[in-house]
Amino acid sequence: MKMLRIAAAAALIASPVVAQEASNAVGMDEIIVTGSRAIEWDPDDIPVIQLERRADNLIVAVRVVNDTRDAPGRRDEITRTLRAMARAAAGREDIDLSIEDDGTLVPLTEDMVSTLTLGMDPGRSDTSVASLVVKTPIREGDTLDAASERIEEFVEGVDPVGRSLADVVGDWQLSVVNPAQYRAPILAAIAADARTTAATFGDGYAVQVEGMSNRVTWRQSGPLELALFIPYDMTVTPTR
């Protein structure tokens, strides 16, 4: 895998209305489940019952920079570059563009590009910056190298306008679509384990499970794998 250059975070912000409309169009949230927003779980706090599955997408931040002298020219060249990227992604089944809205991925289409607010490079007042997320679906049999290569190939194939440059930055991350959909199978697995535990201890004991109102959460269990679970406690007590 190619070495990734670490860069300062850059802003590419959609207005709340645009982000909400895009989210509603999808009908379900896609959540970034690894990286800086991931919860570091103590092994002692992770419950026994977990649902192992592959993440839905591999994602990474891509930064587009432009140092054309005048601000209107910088915006024009970055905007045209982003539009070209959106068109290229729209023509592929294995690449999608998004922006991040508080840990949730919102699809980025060509029509949305003109609504975005560009940031400035912290160290250079004459350089405009845009940051977006490029993702690829994780296929059966994929390795991290195979999936990341699809994104790198897409970014390297971008035909930038003017003095625009596009580059992959930061770490590879994983996302999952609508994690709440896995609540029912996780609860069923917990209930089955509780019944087995109760039967093992016999009639003189009862099993109590707490925490069933907690939301589905996750941890990364492999390069492309996740363990989904509901934080819960199960205790065995003697019956009176």
Side-chain angles (χ1 to χ4, degrees), residues 6-38:
I6 306 301
L12 178 62
I13 306 170
S15 69
V17 173
V18 172
Q20 185 62 49
E21 288 177 350
S23 180
N24 290 341
V26 175
M28 59 184 66
D29 288 339
E30 180 174 2
I31 308 299
I32 300 174
V33 297
T34 61
S36 61
R37 293 181 177 273

Side-chain angles (χ1 to χ4, degrees), residues 4-196:
L4 299 182
R5 284 176 282 177
I6 306 301
L12 178 62
I13 306 170
S15 69
V17 173
V18 172
Q20 185 62 49
E21 288 177 350
S23 180
N24 290 341
V26 175
M28 59 184 66
D29 288 339
E30 180 174 2
I31 308 299
I32 300 174
V33 297
T34 61
S36 61
R37 293 181 177 273
I39 299 174
E40 293 295 331
W41 285 92
D42 187 313
D44 293 336
D45 294 333
I46 299 174
V48 173
I49 300 302
Q50 302 173 63
L51 178 63
E52 297 280 348
R53 71 179 307 276
R54 297 199 118 189
D56 290 309
N57 292 291
L58 179 70
I59 67 174
V60 74
V62 170
R63 193 174 79 148
V64 181
V65 300
N66 185 287
D67 62 357
T68 293
R69 184 174 299 276
D70 62 292
R74 290 198 301 271
R75 179 171 183 84
D76 175 69
E77 292 179 1
I78 283 187
T79 299
R80 289 161 60 193
T81 299
L82 292 172
R83 287 185 181 277
M85 293 177 68
R87 286 194 299 271
R92 297 179 55 157
E93 295 183 353
D94 58 351
I95 294 291
D96 286 295
L97 306 185
S98 299
I99 55 175
E100 181 182 348
D101 180 29
D102 194 25
T104 300
L105 293 179
V106 179
L108 175 63
T109 64
E110 185 177 356
D111 292 339
M112 289 174 58
V113 169
S114 61
T115 70
L116 302 175
T117 301
L118 302 182
M120 298 297 295
D121 190 313
R124 302 174 62 186
S125 60
D126 62 348
T127 302
S128 295
V129 181
S131 178
L132 64 154
V133 173
V134 180
K135 66 179 183 178
T136 187
I138 296 173
R139 303 165 174 168
E140 184 177 358
D142 258 344
T143 62
L144 177 59
D145 284 349
S148 61
E149 186 176 349
R150 291 196 293 272
I151 295 179
E152 290 175 331
E153 178 269 330
F154 171 79
V155 175
E156 290 170 359
V158 170
D159 188 13
V161 178
R163 295 183 62 82
S164 297
L165 294 174
D167 197 12
V168 171
V169 297
D171 298 323
W172 299 104
Q173 299 184 64
L174 303 176
S175 71
V176 63
V177 177
N178 188 24
Q181 67 179 301
Y182 302 106
R183 181 175 181 81
I186 295 173
L187 288 175
I190 294 173
D193 183 62
R195 289 192 296 270
T196 300

